[in-house]
């Protein structure tokens, strides 16, 4: 697994009027659907300029994530601090994680 690189989509920028401390990297803010205001997250646009591949991407991302987490456990590297990088969107800078294989019993296909 040495040298493995994973692409992490981080194009979410919470609006300060809707979320406290929007500049903080906090994936937990999306865990409860009741806390996410309706229409506060529109990653593929709307109307005439809406991405035509949005349905495909959501299915592809779901399948890729399911495949990754069924085989490996992703853990933050101990002692490493991740910071936000400001570019076109907010993203984690120098995110270091360890990929730990799950047990063979957990990954067996039924």
């Amino acid at each position: 697994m040495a040298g493995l690189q994973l692409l992490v989509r981080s194009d979410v920028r919470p609006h300060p009027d809707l979320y406290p401390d929007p500049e903080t990297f906090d994936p937990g803010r999306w865990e409860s659907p009741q806390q996410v205001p309706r229409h506060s997250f529109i990653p593929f646009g709307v109307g005439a300029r809406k991405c035509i591949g949005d349905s495909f991407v959501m299915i592809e991302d779901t399948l890729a994530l399911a495949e990754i987490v069924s085989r490996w456990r992703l853990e933050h590297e101990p002692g490493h601090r991740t910071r936000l990088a400001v570019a076109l969107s907010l993203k984690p800078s120098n995110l270091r994680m360890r990929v730990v294989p799950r047990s063979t019993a957990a990954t067996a296909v039924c």
Side-chain angles (χ1 to χ4, degrees), residues 84-102:
L84 279 178
V86 179
L88 183 59
S89 62
L90 292 177
K91 61 183 181 178
S93 174
N94 200 19
L95 177 62
R96 307 230 14 197
M97 300 190 80
R98 294 187 313 175
V99 180
V100 181
R102 294 190 182 272

Side-chain angles (χ1 to χ4, degrees), residues 20-75:
D21 202 12
E23 301 298 318
T24 301
F25 180 70
D26 179 18
R29 77 175 81 227
W30 307 106
E31 289 177 351
S32 173
Q34 292 79 22
Q35 294 176 351
V36 180
R38 186 176 169 98
H39 303 300
S40 64
F41 177 59
I42 307 172
F44 301 104
V46 293
R49 299 197 181 271
K50 182 179 181 215
C51 174
I52 63 172
D54 64 336
S55 297
F56 173 75
V57 169
M58 293 301 286
I59 292 169
E60 182 182 45
D61 285 354
T62 302
L63 292 174
L65 182 60
E67 185 69 20
I68 290 168
V69 299
S70 72
R71 296 178 185 222
W72 299 288
R73 206 171 55 246
L74 303 174
E75 300 175 348

